[in-house]
Amino acid sequence: MNIVVFGAHGVLGKAVCQALERQGHRVRRAARQGAHLAVDFRVDLSAATLRAAVQGMDIVVNTTGILIEREGDTWDKVHHAAVDALAAACEAEHVARIVHVSALGAGTGLGGGYMRSKLAGEQALARRRVDYAIVRPSLLVDEACASTRLFTALSALPVIALPGLRAPGGSRIAPVQVADVADCIAAIVAHPKALRRVIELEGPERLTYRAMLEWLRAAQGGGRALWVPLPWWLVRAAAWLALAWPQRVISPDTVRMLRASCEGRSETTRWLRREPLALDAQPQALPPAVAGIA
């Protein structure tokens, strides 16, 4: 099939392109620069503009997303307006299916601009007369992911802050490997029947935030650490301050998602037709220090 992948230079986008090419599909990459198609969701927000990018395509995959608003990137543009325009373009060009990557927790009532924009994008897609699959993955794990590098760095500190006073670090996460999500998307692309629904993807086990950091620390050969509970209000205040730094992970919205411990009805095993990889099952997908131990 002819497939175009938007956000093809992102961590997940690259993995999706590779998974699709392994299955023999003809893949065109769309990104802001250095790809087959130059598409910038900060400015390319009309169906008329995007029709040329999807013309002749059987399937469209959209992996584009941002955690923090910065330099013209806004959640409303990237997660909502661009998705609406892309869906309209696919409808006009009679594309068979859109596979759109959203976020676990969208549609649960979780507040914040990030989740509101994700849900708005999903709703815009659902209004169009085109088959779609909305993929909501849990926390992505890969050595190229900024979040994976951040958690690995935090776990190596001699003093580690844990959010929450009643149950410090008790928020639950089901990390899923990028390679597994990419393989699931490749299977969704090839599904022979109409979908028009949400598909949630999680890893094989649900860990507390502290347990995840403990594992990462042990994998790096770290000894005992001093674990310091912090009230959530202080964690949120620190997240606001972090916005002033050139980083792409920490924000009040990501703190809100961590506290919510979003859970999904995971279909990872169904689409992979095997059990998803554990946190340490694929050394090349982990930070170098962790991979050496794994």
CSV table of all heavy atoms in Angstrom, one decimal, residues 78-143:
chain,number,residue,atom,x,y,z
A,78,VAL,N,-1.3,22.0,16.6
A,78,VAL,CA,-0.8,20.7,16.2
A,78,VAL,C,-1.7,19.5,16.5
A,78,VAL,O,-1.8,18.6,15.7
A,78,VAL,CB,0.6,20.4,17.0
A,78,VAL,CG1,1.1,19.1,16.7
A,78,VAL,CG2,1.6,21.5,16.6
A,79,HIS,N,-2.4,19.6,17.6
A,79,HIS,CA,-3.3,18.4,18.0
A,79,HIS,C,-4.7,18.5,17.5
A,79,HIS,O,-5.4,17.5,17.5
A,79,HIS,CB,-3.3,18.3,19.5
A,79,HIS,CG,-2.0,18.0,20.1
A,79,HIS,ND1,-1.7,18.3,21.4
A,79,HIS,CD2,-0.8,17.5,19.6
A,79,HIS,CE1,-0.4,17.9,21.7
A,79,HIS,NE2,0.1,17.5,20.5
A,80,HIS,N,-5.2,19.8,17.2
A,80,HIS,CA,-6.6,19.9,16.8
A,80,HIS,C,-6.8,20.5,15.4
A,80,HIS,O,-7.3,19.8,14.5
A,80,HIS,CB,-7.3,20.9,17.8
A,80,HIS,CG,-8.7,21.1,17.5
A,80,HIS,ND1,-9.4,22.3,17.9
A,80,HIS,CD2,-9.6,20.4,16.8
A,80,HIS,CE1,-10.6,22.2,17.4
A,80,HIS,NE2,-10.8,21.1,16.7
A,81,ALA,N,-6.3,21.7,15.2
A,81,ALA,CA,-6.6,22.3,13.8
A,81,ALA,C,-5.9,21.5,12.7
A,81,ALA,O,-6.5,21.3,11.7
A,81,ALA,CB,-6.0,23.8,13.8
A,82,ALA,N,-4.7,21.1,12.9
A,82,ALA,CA,-4.0,20.3,11.9
A,82,ALA,C,-4.7,18.9,11.7
A,82,ALA,O,-4.8,18.5,10.5
A,82,ALA,CB,-2.5,20.1,12.3
A,83,VAL,N,-5.1,18.3,12.7
A,83,VAL,CA,-5.8,17.0,12.6
A,83,VAL,C,-7.1,17.2,11.8
A,83,VAL,O,-7.5,16.4,11.0
A,83,VAL,CB,-6.0,16.4,14.0
A,83,VAL,CG1,-6.9,15.1,13.8
A,83,VAL,CG2,-4.7,16.1,14.6
A,84,ASP,N,-7.9,18.3,12.2
A,84,ASP,CA,-9.1,18.5,11.5
A,84,ASP,C,-8.9,18.8,10.0
A,84,ASP,O,-9.6,18.2,9.1
A,84,ASP,CB,-9.8,19.8,12.1
A,84,ASP,CG,-11.2,20.0,11.6
A,84,ASP,OD1,-11.8,19.0,11.1
A,84,ASP,OD2,-11.7,21.1,11.6
A,85,ALA,N,-7.8,19.5,9.6
A,85,ALA,CA,-7.5,19.8,8.2
A,85,ALA,C,-7.0,18.5,7.5
A,85,ALA,O,-7.4,18.3,6.4
A,85,ALA,CB,-6.4,20.9,8.2
A,86,LEU,N,-6.2,17.7,8.2
A,86,LEU,CA,-5.7,16.5,7.6
A,86,LEU,C,-6.9,15.5,7.4
A,86,LEU,O,-7.0,14.9,6.3
A,86,LEU,CB,-4.7,15.8,8.6
A,86,LEU,CG,-4.0,14.6,8.1
A,86,LEU,CD1,-3.3,14.8,6.8
A,86,LEU,CD2,-3.1,14.0,9.1
A,87,ALA,N,-7.8,15.4,8.3
A,87,ALA,CA,-9.0,14.5,8.1
A,87,ALA,C,-9.9,15.0,7.0
A,87,ALA,O,-10.3,14.2,6.2
A,87,ALA,CB,-9.8,14.5,9.4
A,88,ALA,N,-10.0,16.3,6.8
A,88,ALA,CA,-10.8,16.9,5.7
A,88,ALA,C,-10.1,16.6,4.4
A,88,ALA,O,-10.8,16.2,3.4
A,88,ALA,CB,-11.0,18.4,5.9
A,89,ALA,N,-8.8,16.7,4.4
A,89,ALA,CA,-8.0,16.4,3.1
A,89,ALA,C,-8.2,14.9,2.8
A,89,ALA,O,-8.3,14.6,1.6
A,89,ALA,CB,-6.6,16.8,3.3
A,90,CYS,N,-8.1,14.0,3.8
A,90,CYS,CA,-8.2,12.6,3.5
A,90,CYS,C,-9.6,12.3,3.0
A,90,CYS,O,-9.8,11.4,2.1
A,90,CYS,CB,-7.9,11.8,4.8
A,90,CYS,SG,-6.2,11.9,5.3
A,91,GLU,N,-10.6,12.9,3.6
A,91,GLU,CA,-12.0,12.7,3.1
A,91,GLU,C,-12.2,13.1,1.7
A,91,GLU,O,-12.7,12.4,0.9
A,91,GLU,CB,-13.0,13.5,4.0
A,91,GLU,CG,-14.4,13.3,3.7
A,91,GLU,CD,-15.3,14.2,4.6
A,91,GLU,OE1,-15.1,15.4,4.7
A,91,GLU,OE2,-16.2,13.6,5.3
A,92,ALA,N,-11.6,14.3,1.3
A,92,ALA,CA,-11.7,14.8,0.0
A,92,ALA,C,-11.0,13.9,-1.0
A,92,ALA,O,-11.4,13.7,-2.2
A,92,ALA,CB,-11.2,16.2,-0.1
A,93,GLU,N,-9.8,13.3,-0.6
A,93,GLU,CA,-9.0,12.4,-1.5
A,93,GLU,C,-9.4,11.0,-1.4
A,93,GLU,O,-8.7,10.1,-2.0
A,93,GLU,CB,-7.5,12.7,-1.2
A,93,GLU,CG,-7.0,14.0,-1.5
A,93,GLU,CD,-7.0,14.3,-3.0
A,93,GLU,OE1,-6.9,13.3,-3.8
A,93,GLU,OE2,-7.2,15.5,-3.4
A,94,HIS,N,-10.4,10.6,-0.6
A,94,HIS,CA,-10.9,9.3,-0.5
A,94,HIS,C,-9.8,8.3,0.0
A,94,HIS,O,-9.6,7.2,-0.5
A,94,HIS,CB,-11.4,8.7,-1.8
A,94,HIS,CG,-12.5,9.6,-2.4
A,94,HIS,ND1,-13.8,9.8,-1.9
A,94,HIS,CD2,-12.5,10.5,-3.5
A,94,HIS,CE1,-14.5,10.6,-2.6
A,94,HIS,NE2,-13.7,11.1,-3.6
A,95,VAL,N,-9.1,8.8,1.0
A,95,VAL,CA,-8.1,7.9,1.7
A,95,VAL,C,-8.8,6.8,2.4
A,95,VAL,O,-9.9,7.1,3.1
A,95,VAL,CB,-7.2,8.8,2.6
A,95,VAL,CG1,-6.3,7.9,3.5
A,95,VAL,CG2,-6.4,9.7,1.8
A,96,ALA,N,-8.3,5.6,2.4
A,96,ALA,CA,-9.0,4.5,3.0
A,96,ALA,C,-9.1,4.6,4.6
A,96,ALA,O,-10.1,4.3,5.2
A,96,ALA,CB,-8.4,3.2,2.6
A,97,ARG,N,-8.0,5.1,5.2
A,97,ARG,CA,-8.0,5.1,6.6
A,97,ARG,C,-6.9,6.1,7.1
A,97,ARG,O,-5.8,6.2,6.5
A,97,ARG,CB,-7.6,3.7,7.2
A,97,ARG,CG,-7.5,3.6,8.7
A,97,ARG,CD,-7.2,2.2,9.2
A,97,ARG,NE,-8.4,1.3,8.9
A,97,ARG,CZ,-8.3,0.0,8.6
A,97,ARG,NH1,-7.1,-0.6,8.6
A,97,ARG,NH2,-9.4,-0.6,8.3
A,98,ILE,N,-7.2,6.7,8.3
A,98,ILE,CA,-6.2,7.5,9.0
A,98,ILE,C,-5.9,6.8,10.3
A,98,ILE,O,-6.9,6.4,11.0
A,98,ILE,CB,-6.8,8.9,9.3
A,98,ILE,CG1,-7.3,9.6,8.1
A,98,ILE,CG2,-5.7,9.7,10.0
A,98,ILE,CD1,-7.9,11.0,8.4
A,99,VAL,N,-4.7,6.6,10.6
A,99,VAL,CA,-4.3,6.1,11.9
A,99,VAL,C,-3.6,7.3,12.6
A,99,VAL,O,-2.6,7.8,12.2
A,99,VAL,CB,-3.3,4.9,11.8
A,99,VAL,CG1,-2.9,4.5,13.2
A,99,VAL,CG2,-3.9,3.8,11.0
A,100,HIS,N,-4.3,7.8,13.7
A,100,HIS,CA,-3.9,9.0,14.4
A,100,HIS,C,-3.4,8.7,15.8
A,100,HIS,O,-4.2,8.0,16.5
A,100,HIS,CB,-5.1,10.0,14.4
A,100,HIS,CG,-4.9,11.1,15.3
A,100,HIS,ND1,-3.9,12.1,15.0
A,100,HIS,CD2,-5.5,11.5,16.4
A,100,HIS,CE1,-3.9,13.0,16.0
A,100,HIS,NE2,-4.9,12.7,16.8
A,101,VAL,N,-2.2,9.1,16.1
A,101,VAL,CA,-1.7,8.9,17.5
A,101,VAL,C,-2.1,10.0,18.4
A,101,VAL,O,-1.8,11.2,18.2
A,101,VAL,CB,-0.2,8.8,17.5
A,101,VAL,CG1,0.4,8.5,18.9
A,101,VAL,CG2,0.2,7.6,16.5
A,102,SER,N,-2.9,9.6,19.5
A,102,SER,CA,-3.3,10.6,20.5
A,102,SER,C,-2.6,10.3,21.8
A,102,SER,O,-1.3,10.1,21.7
A,102,SER,CB,-4.8,10.5,20.6
A,102,SER,OG,-5.3,11.4,21.5
A,103,ALA,N,-3.2,10.3,22.9
A,103,ALA,CA,-2.6,10.1,24.2
A,103,ALA,C,-3.5,9.3,25.1
A,103,ALA,O,-4.7,9.6,25.2
A,103,ALA,CB,-2.1,11.4,24.8
A,104,LEU,N,-2.9,8.4,25.9
A,104,LEU,CA,-3.7,7.7,26.9
A,104,LEU,C,-4.2,8.7,28.0
A,104,LEU,O,-3.4,9.5,28.5
A,104,LEU,CB,-2.8,6.6,27.6
A,104,LEU,CG,-3.6,5.6,28.5
A,104,LEU,CD1,-4.5,4.8,27.6
A,104,LEU,CD2,-2.6,4.8,29.2
A,105,GLY,N,-5.5,8.7,28.2
A,105,GLY,CA,-6.0,9.7,29.1
A,105,GLY,C,-7.0,10.7,28.5
A,105,GLY,O,-7.8,11.3,29.1
A,106,ALA,N,-6.8,10.8,27.1
A,106,ALA,CA,-7.8,11.7,26.4
A,106,ALA,C,-9.2,11.1,26.5
A,106,ALA,O,-9.4,9.9,26.4
A,106,ALA,CB,-7.4,11.8,24.9
A,107,GLY,N,-10.1,11.9,26.8
A,107,GLY,CA,-11.5,11.5,26.9
A,107,GLY,C,-11.9,11.0,28.3
A,107,GLY,O,-13.0,10.6,28.5
A,108,THR,N,-11.0,11.1,29.3
A,108,THR,CA,-11.3,10.7,30.6
A,108,THR,C,-11.7,11.9,31.5
A,108,THR,O,-12.0,11.7,32.7
A,108,THR,CB,-10.1,10.0,31.3
A,108,THR,OG1,-9.0,11.0,31.3
A,108,THR,CG2,-9.6,8.8,30.4
A,109,GLY,N,-11.7,13.1,31.0
A,109,GLY,CA,-12.1,14.2,31.8
A,109,GLY,C,-10.9,14.9,32.4
A,109,GLY,O,-11.0,15.9,33.2
A,110,LEU,N,-9.7,14.4,32.1
A,110,LEU,CA,-8.4,15.0,32.7
A,110,LEU,C,-8.3,16.4,32.2
A,110,LEU,O,-8.3,16.6,31.0
A,110,LEU,CB,-7.2,14.1,32.3
A,110,LEU,CG,-5.9,14.5,32.9
A,110,LEU,CD1,-5.9,14.4,34.5
A,110,LEU,CD2,-4.8,13.6,32.4
A,111,GLY,N,-8.0,17.4,33.1
A,111,GLY,CA,-7.9,18.8,32.7
A,111,GLY,C,-6.6,19.1,32.0
A,111,GLY,O,-5.7,18.3,31.9
A,112,GLY,N,-6.5,20.4,31.6
A,112,GLY,CA,-5.2,20.8,31.0
A,112,GLY,C,-5.4,21.0,29.5
A,112,GLY,O,-6.1,20.3,28.9
A,113,GLY,N,-4.6,22.0,29.0
A,113,GLY,CA,-4.7,22.3,27.6
A,113,GLY,C,-4.2,21.1,26.7
A,113,GLY,O,-4.7,20.9,25.6
A,114,TYR,N,-3.3,20.4,27.2
A,114,TYR,CA,-2.7,19.3,26.4
A,114,TYR,C,-3.8,18.2,26.1
A,114,TYR,O,-4.1,17.9,24.9
A,114,TYR,CB,-1.5,18.6,27.1
A,114,TYR,CG,-1.0,17.4,26.4
A,114,TYR,CD1,-0.1,17.5,25.4
A,114,TYR,CD2,-1.4,16.1,26.8
A,114,TYR,CE1,0.4,16.4,24.8
A,114,TYR,CE2,-0.9,15.0,26.2
A,114,TYR,CZ,0.0,15.1,25.2
A,114,TYR,OH,0.5,14.0,24.6
A,115,MET,N,-4.4,17.8,27.1
A,115,MET,CA,-5.5,16.7,27.0
A,115,MET,C,-6.7,17.3,26.2
A,115,MET,O,-7.3,16.6,25.5
A,115,MET,CB,-5.9,16.1,28.3
A,115,MET,CG,-4.9,15.0,28.8
A,115,MET,SD,-4.8,13.6,27.6
A,115,MET,CE,-3.6,12.6,28.5
A,116,ARG,N,-7.1,18.5,26.5
A,116,ARG,CA,-8.2,19.1,25.8
A,116,ARG,C,-7.9,19.1,24.3
A,116,ARG,O,-8.8,18.8,23.5
A,116,ARG,CB,-8.5,20.5,26.3
A,116,ARG,CG,-9.2,20.5,27.7
A,116,ARG,CD,-9.8,21.9,27.9
A,116,ARG,NE,-8.8,22.9,28.0
A,116,ARG,CZ,-8.2,23.3,29.1
A,116,ARG,NH1,-8.5,22.7,30.3
A,116,ARG,NH2,-7.3,24.2,29.2
A,117,SER,N,-6.7,19.5,23.9
A,117,SER,CA,-6.4,19.5,22.5
A,117,SER,C,-6.4,18.2,21.9
A,117,SER,O,-6.8,18.0,20.7
A,117,SER,CB,-5.0,20.2,22.3
A,117,SER,OG,-4.0,19.5,22.8
A,118,LYS,N,-5.9,17.2,22.6
A,118,LYS,CA,-5.9,15.8,22.1
A,118,LYS,C,-7.3,15.3,21.8
A,118,LYS,O,-7.6,14.7,20.8
A,118,LYS,CB,-5.1,14.9,23.1
A,118,LYS,CG,-3.6,15.0,23.1
A,118,LYS,CD,-3.0,14.4,21.8
A,118,LYS,CE,-1.5,14.3,21.8
A,118,LYS,NZ,-1.0,13.8,20.6
A,119,LEU,N,-8.2,15.6,22.8
A,119,LEU,CA,-9.6,15.1,22.7
A,119,LEU,C,-10.2,15.9,21.5
A,119,LEU,O,-11.0,15.3,20.7
A,119,LEU,CB,-10.3,15.3,24.0
A,119,LEU,CG,-11.8,14.9,23.9
A,119,LEU,CD1,-11.9,13.4,23.6
A,119,LEU,CD2,-12.5,15.2,25.3
A,120,ALA,N,-10.0,17.2,21.4
A,120,ALA,CA,-10.6,17.9,20.3
A,120,ALA,C,-10.1,17.4,18.9
A,120,ALA,O,-10.9,17.3,18.0
A,120,ALA,CB,-10.2,19.4,20.4
A,121,GLY,N,-8.9,17.0,18.8
A,121,GLY,CA,-8.4,16.4,17.6
A,121,GLY,C,-9.1,15.1,17.3
A,121,GLY,O,-9.5,14.8,16.1
A,122,GLU,N,-9.3,14.2,18.3
A,122,GLU,CA,-10.0,13.0,18.1
A,122,GLU,C,-11.5,13.2,17.6
A,122,GLU,O,-12.0,12.6,16.7
A,122,GLU,CB,-10.0,12.2,19.4
A,122,GLU,CG,-8.7,11.7,19.9
A,122,GLU,CD,-8.8,10.9,21.2
A,122,GLU,OE1,-9.9,10.6,21.6
A,122,GLU,OE2,-7.7,10.5,21.7
A,123,GLN,N,-12.1,14.2,18.3
A,123,GLN,CA,-13.5,14.5,17.9
A,123,GLN,C,-13.6,15.0,16.5
A,123,GLN,O,-14.5,14.7,15.8
A,123,GLN,CB,-14.1,15.5,18.9
A,123,GLN,CG,-14.2,14.9,20.3
A,123,GLN,CD,-14.6,15.9,21.4
A,123,GLN,OE1,-14.3,17.1,21.2
A,123,GLN,NE2,-15.2,15.5,22.5
A,124,ALA,N,-12.6,15.9,16.1
A,124,ALA,CA,-12.6,16.4,14.7
A,124,ALA,C,-12.5,15.3,13.7
A,124,ALA,O,-13.1,15.2,12.7
A,124,ALA,CB,-11.5,17.4,14.5
A,125,LEU,N,-11.6,14.3,14.0
A,125,LEU,CA,-11.4,13.2,13.1
A,125,LEU,C,-12.7,12.3,13.0
A,125,LEU,O,-13.1,11.9,11.9
A,125,LEU,CB,-10.2,12.3,13.7
A,125,LEU,CG,-9.9,11.0,12.9
A,125,LEU,CD1,-9.6,11.4,11.4
A,125,LEU,CD2,-8.7,10.4,13.6
A,126,ALA,N,-13.4,12.1,14.2
A,126,ALA,CA,-14.5,11.2,14.2
A,126,ALA,C,-15.7,11.8,13.4
A,126,ALA,O,-16.6,11.1,13.0
A,126,ALA,CB,-15.0,11.0,15.6
A,127,ARG,N,-15.7,13.1,13.2
A,127,ARG,CA,-16.8,13.8,12.4
A,127,ARG,C,-16.7,13.6,10.9
A,127,ARG,O,-17.6,13.8,10.2
A,127,ARG,CB,-16.8,15.3,12.8
A,127,ARG,CG,-17.4,15.6,14.1
A,127,ARG,CD,-17.7,17.1,14.3
A,127,ARG,NE,-16.5,17.9,14.2
A,127,ARG,CZ,-15.8,18.3,15.3
A,127,ARG,NH1,-16.2,18.0,16.5
A,127,ARG,NH2,-14.7,19.1,15.1
A,128,ARG,N,-15.5,13.1,10.5
A,128,ARG,CA,-15.3,13.0,9.0
A,128,ARG,C,-15.7,11.6,8.5
A,128,ARG,O,-15.8,10.7,9.2
A,128,ARG,CB,-13.8,13.2,8.7
A,128,ARG,CG,-13.3,14.6,9.1
A,128,ARG,CD,-13.9,15.7,8.2
A,128,ARG,NE,-13.5,17.0,8.6
A,128,ARG,CZ,-13.9,18.1,7.9
A,128,ARG,NH1,-14.7,18.0,6.9
A,128,ARG,NH2,-13.5,19.3,8.4
A,129,ARG,N,-16.1,11.6,7.2
A,129,ARG,CA,-16.5,10.4,6.6
A,129,ARG,C,-15.3,9.7,6.0
A,129,ARG,O,-15.1,9.5,4.8
A,129,ARG,CB,-17.5,10.7,5.5
A,129,ARG,CG,-18.8,11.2,6.0
A,129,ARG,CD,-19.9,11.3,4.8
A,129,ARG,NE,-19.4,12.1,3.7
A,129,ARG,CZ,-19.6,13.4,3.7
A,129,ARG,NH1,-20.2,14.1,4.6
A,129,ARG,NH2,-19.1,14.1,2.6
A,130,VAL,N,-14.5,9.2,6.9
A,130,VAL,CA,-13.3,8.4,6.6
A,130,VAL,C,-13.0,7.4,7.7
A,130,VAL,O,-13.2,7.8,8.9
A,130,VAL,CB,-12.0,9.4,6.4
A,130,VAL,CG1,-11.7,10.2,7.6
A,130,VAL,CG2,-10.8,8.6,5.9
A,131,ASP,N,-12.6,6.2,7.4
A,131,ASP,CA,-12.3,5.3,8.4
A,131,ASP,C,-11.1,5.7,9.2
A,131,ASP,O,-10.1,6.3,8.6
A,131,ASP,CB,-12.0,3.9,7.8
A,131,ASP,CG,-11.8,2.8,8.8
A,131,ASP,OD1,-12.6,2.8,9.8
A,131,ASP,OD2,-10.9,2.0,8.7
A,132,TYR,N,-11.1,5.5,10.5
A,132,TYR,CA,-9.9,5.9,11.3
A,132,TYR,C,-9.7,5.0,12.5
A,132,TYR,O,-10.6,4.2,12.9
A,132,TYR,CB,-10.2,7.3,11.9
A,132,TYR,CG,-11.4,7.4,12.9
A,132,TYR,CD1,-11.2,7.1,14.2
A,132,TYR,CD2,-12.7,7.7,12.5
A,132,TYR,CE1,-12.2,7.1,15.1
A,132,TYR,CE2,-13.7,7.7,13.3
A,132,TYR,CZ,-13.5,7.4,14.7
A,132,TYR,OH,-14.6,7.4,15.6
A,133,ALA,N,-8.5,5.0,13.0
A,133,ALA,CA,-8.1,4.4,14.2
A,133,ALA,C,-7.4,5.4,15.1
A,133,ALA,O,-6.4,6.0,14.6
A,133,ALA,CB,-7.2,3.1,14.0
A,134,ILE,N,-7.8,5.7,16.2
A,134,ILE,CA,-7.2,6.6,17.2
A,134,ILE,C,-6.4,5.8,18.1
A,134,ILE,O,-6.9,5.0,18.9
A,134,ILE,CB,-8.2,7.5,17.9
A,134,ILE,CG1,-8.9,8.4,16.9
A,134,ILE,CG2,-7.5,8.3,19.0
A,134,ILE,CD1,-10.1,9.1,17.5
A,135,VAL,N,-5.1,5.9,18.1
A,135,VAL,CA,-4.2,5.1,18.9
A,135,VAL,C,-3.7,6.0,20.1
A,135,VAL,O,-3.2,7.0,20.0
A,135,VAL,CB,-2.9,4.7,18.2
A,135,VAL,CG1,-2.0,3.9,19.0
A,135,VAL,CG2,-3.3,3.8,17.0
A,136,ARG,N,-4.0,5.4,21.3
A,136,ARG,CA,-3.6,6.1,22.6
A,136,ARG,C,-2.6,5.3,23.3
A,136,ARG,O,-2.9,4.4,24.0
A,136,ARG,CB,-4.9,6.3,23.5
A,136,ARG,CG,-5.9,7.2,23.0
A,136,ARG,CD,-7.1,7.2,23.9
A,136,ARG,NE,-8.2,8.1,23.5
A,136,ARG,CZ,-9.4,8.1,24.0
A,136,ARG,NH1,-9.7,7.2,25.0
A,136,ARG,NH2,-10.4,8.9,23.6
A,137,PRO,N,-1.3,5.6,23.1
A,137,PRO,CA,-0.3,4.8,23.8
A,137,PRO,C,0.0,5.4,25.2
A,137,PRO,O,-0.2,6.6,25.5
A,137,PRO,CB,0.9,5.0,23.0
A,137,PRO,CG,0.7,6.4,22.3
A,137,PRO,CD,-0.7,6.6,22.2
A,138,SER,N,0.5,4.5,26.1
A,138,SER,CA,0.9,4.9,27.4
A,138,SER,C,2.3,5.6,27.3
A,138,SER,O,2.8,5.9,26.2
A,138,SER,CB,1.0,3.7,28.3
A,138,SER,OG,1.4,4.0,29.6
A,139,LEU,N,3.0,5.7,28.4
A,139,LEU,CA,4.4,6.3,28.3
A,139,LEU,C,5.3,5.6,27.4
A,139,LEU,O,5.5,4.4,27.6
A,139,LEU,CB,5.0,6.4,29.8
A,139,LEU,CG,6.4,6.9,29.9
A,139,LEU,CD1,6.5,8.4,29.6
A,139,LEU,CD2,6.9,6.6,31.3
A,140,LEU,N,5.9,6.2,26.4
A,140,LEU,CA,6.7,5.6,25.5
A,140,LEU,C,8.1,5.4,26.0
A,140,LEU,O,8.7,6.3,26.7
A,140,LEU,CB,6.8,6.4,24.2
A,140,LEU,CG,5.5,6.5,23.4
A,140,LEU,CD1,5.7,7.4,22.2
A,140,LEU,CD2,5.0,5.1,22.9
A,141,VAL,N,8.7,4.3,25.7
A,141,VAL,CA,10.1,4.0,26.2
A,141,VAL,C,11.0,3.7,25.0
A,141,VAL,O,10.7,2.9,24.2
A,141,VAL,CB,10.1,2.7,27.1
A,141,VAL,CG1,11.5,2.4,27.5
A,141,VAL,CG2,9.2,2.9,28.3
A,142,ASP,N,12.1,4.5,24.9
A,142,ASP,CA,13.1,4.4,23.9
A,142,ASP,C,14.2,5.3,24.2
A,142,ASP,O,14.0,6.3,24.8
A,142,ASP,CB,12.5,4.7,22.5
A,142,ASP,CG,13.4,4.4,21.4
A,142,ASP,OD1,14.4,5.2,21.1
A,142,ASP,OD2,13.2,3.3,20.8
A,143,GLU,N,15.4,4.9,23.9
A,143,GLU,CA,16.6,5.7,24.3
A,143,GLU,C,16.6,7.0,23.6
A,143,GLU,O,17.2,8.0,24.1
A,143,GLU,CB,17.9,4.9,23.9
A,143,GLU,CG,18.1,4.8,22.4
A,143,GLU,CD,19.5,4.2,22.1
A,143,GLU,OE1,20.3,3.9,23.0
A,143,GLU,OE2,19.7,3.9,20.9
